[in-house]
Amino acid sequence: MTHPSLQGAQGAITDVAGIEVGHYTETRRPTGCSVVIARDGAVGGVDVRGAAPGTRETELLHPSNFVERVHAVMLSGGSAWGLDAASGAARWLEEQGVGFDIGVGRLPLVPAAVLFDLHVGDARVRPDAAAGYAACAAATRTHPAEGCVGAGTGATVGKLFGMQYAMKSGIGTASLRVDGITVGALVACNAVGDVVDPDTGRPLAGARTEDGTQLRDMRRALLRGELPGALLGGSNTTIGVIATDAVLTKPQAQRLAVVGHDGLARAINPVHTQMDGDTLFALATGAAGRTPDLVVLATMAAEAVARATVRAALAARSITTAEGLHLPGYAG
């Protein structure tokens, strides 16, 4: 079975001029990190909607704060330990001469967000500074790999009724171009909810029935009175980056991150729960040289996020951990 979101040219966040993406995929257990680099700097914004986030340097992106441009965003597995990957990215960027000029050198600014994948394999293995450095060293302008790579390596979806009924997810990307402006997104989907088709609401990946052969349809299951299982708070989260070549101010970049969550709401149900730390960053490189109509730009951002989220689930392949946990993936 092939979903339309895996057919044809869907684009990638690297279609945005000035953006590179690199993955590091851990081989000892399913985890990893992914970095989005803007070597020349990009005006940044962020919006955190989930109630259990794990982030670094998000306050510097507030519109009232001094710093205008950042140089990379790190997305990582490993929960709070995974934030260390951003330190490795900062070291790599410094070696490349990338960063904010502080007179005595250049200081790379690398906001980050993490997802919780510690229940998939040996939790003692998680991304560190060396992993973040390696992700940067692997960064290119080509279409990034999708599925069980980078920050999506240990991602899962549909966990509300227990991990034994969940499915494998991953990381996905998409882009759109309208009137000479490009918007792209990179999303690592580790949601407690189902991933659904944004056009029909039909579940694509998520909580399975007790015999494991069908999707339960979490929204309808909850509404008919099925009770969630006992879950550790914060053990989920969808994180991602929206990038555009439009010229934006810092408040406009923050607004782009805000409206990007509309795309998550179209593609994940339920979303933004107390068990998720859903966080989206926005980067504006300004390479297009102009500012488009902001309603159009917002519509593009939400659509890119929705498409990237769907691709994160549909590109994921099945895994069985050493501990015997089997997680089927849409891609087989």
Side-chain angles (χ1 to χ4, degrees), residues 99-114:
F100 179 64
D101 189 352
I102 56 172
V104 294
R106 290 193 172 272
L107 177 65
L109 299 174
V110 187
V114 294

Side-chain angles (χ1 to χ4, degrees), residues 138-237:
T140 70
R141 292 291 317 279
T142 61
H143 193 299
E146 297 175 275
C148 303
V149 296
T153 306
T156 52
V157 291
K159 290 160 279 188
L160 194 62
F161 299 103
M163 279 294 288
Q164 68 271 32
Y165 303 119
M167 286 184 66
K168 192 68 185 71
S169 184
I171 195 167
T173 189
S175 69
L176 301 94
R177 186 170 176 83
V178 176
D179 192 27
I181 297 293
T182 303
V183 176
L186 182 75
V187 175
C189 183
N190 189 55
V192 72
D194 292 337
V195 174
V196 303
D197 186 319
D199 293 323
T200 66
R202 180 176 67 86
L204 300 171
R208 293 171 291 134
T209 54
E210 292 200 12
D211 64 6
T213 62
Q214 300 180 59
L215 290 175
R216 192 182 301 234
D217 193 335
M218 191 176 295
R219 176 174 66 91
R220 288 183 169 84
L222 292 172
L223 293 177
R224 63 177 172 255
E226 293 189 32
L227 297 178
L231 287 179
L232 177 66
S235 56
N236 306 280
T237 289

Side-chain angles (χ1 to χ4, degrees), residues 42-320:
V43 176
V46 67
D47 188 53
V48 181
R49 293 289 179 91
T55 59
R56 162 180 157 150
E57 292 194 323
T58 52
E59 277 302 307
L60 67 81
L61 295 174
H62 191 280
S64 67
N65 289 341
F66 171 69
V67 170
E68 287 286 332
R69 304 175 79 84
V70 299
H71 307 95
V73 172
M74 178 62 69
L75 308 177
S76 182
S79 192
W81 284 296
L83 290 171
D84 194 32
S87 299
R91 179 165 64 89
W92 186 88
L93 289 166
E94 181 186 20
E95 291 174 1
Q96 309 305 308
V98 174
F100 179 64
D101 189 352
I102 56 172
V104 294
R106 290 193 172 272
L107 177 65
L109 299 174
V110 187
V114 294
L115 55 81
F116 186 105
D117 57 9
L118 300 177
H119 288 158
V120 183
D122 185 349
R124 295 170 297 179
V125 178
R126 53 253 183 175
D128 56 12
Y133 187 99
C136 290
T140 70
R141 292 291 317 279
T142 61
H143 193 299
E146 297 175 275
C148 303
V149 296
T153 306
T156 52
V157 291
K159 290 160 279 188
L160 194 62
F161 299 103
M163 279 294 288
Q164 68 271 32
Y165 303 119
M167 286 184 66
K168 192 68 185 71
S169 184
I171 195 167
T173 189
S175 69
L176 301 94
R177 186 170 176 83
V178 176
D179 192 27
I181 297 293
T182 303
V183 176
L186 182 75
V187 175
C189 183
N190 189 55
V192 72
D194 292 337
V195 174
V196 303
D197 186 319
D199 293 323
T200 66
R202 180 176 67 86
L204 300 171
R208 293 171 291 134
T209 54
E210 292 200 12
D211 64 6
T213 62
Q214 300 180 59
L215 290 175
R216 192 182 301 234
D217 193 335
M218 191 176 295
R219 176 174 66 91
R220 288 183 169 84
L222 292 172
L223 293 177
R224 63 177 172 255
E226 293 189 32
L227 297 178
L231 287 179
L232 177 66
S235 56
N236 306 280
T237 289
T238 297
I239 53 178
V241 180
I242 303 161
T244 181
D245 53 10
V247 175
L248 297 182
T249 64
K250 203 173 175 186
Q252 289 170 338
Q254 185 193 36
R255 177 54 48 182
L256 203 65
V258 169
V259 299
H261 281 278
D262 293 352
L264 291 187
R266 293 173 197 162
I268 301 170
N269 197 330
V271 71
H272 304 143
T273 75
Q274 70 270 26
M275 292 169 285
D276 291 285
D278 303 325
T279 301
L280 289 178
F281 296 92
L283 300 175
T285 67
R290 64 186 183 88
T291 303
D293 182 278
L294 294 180
V295 173
V296 175
L297 194 69
T299 302
M300 294 168 68
E303 183 68 17
V305 168
R307 293 185 187 184
T309 303
V310 168
R311 289 182 64 81
L314 299 190
R317 294 194 173 274
S318 305
I319 66 166
T320 301

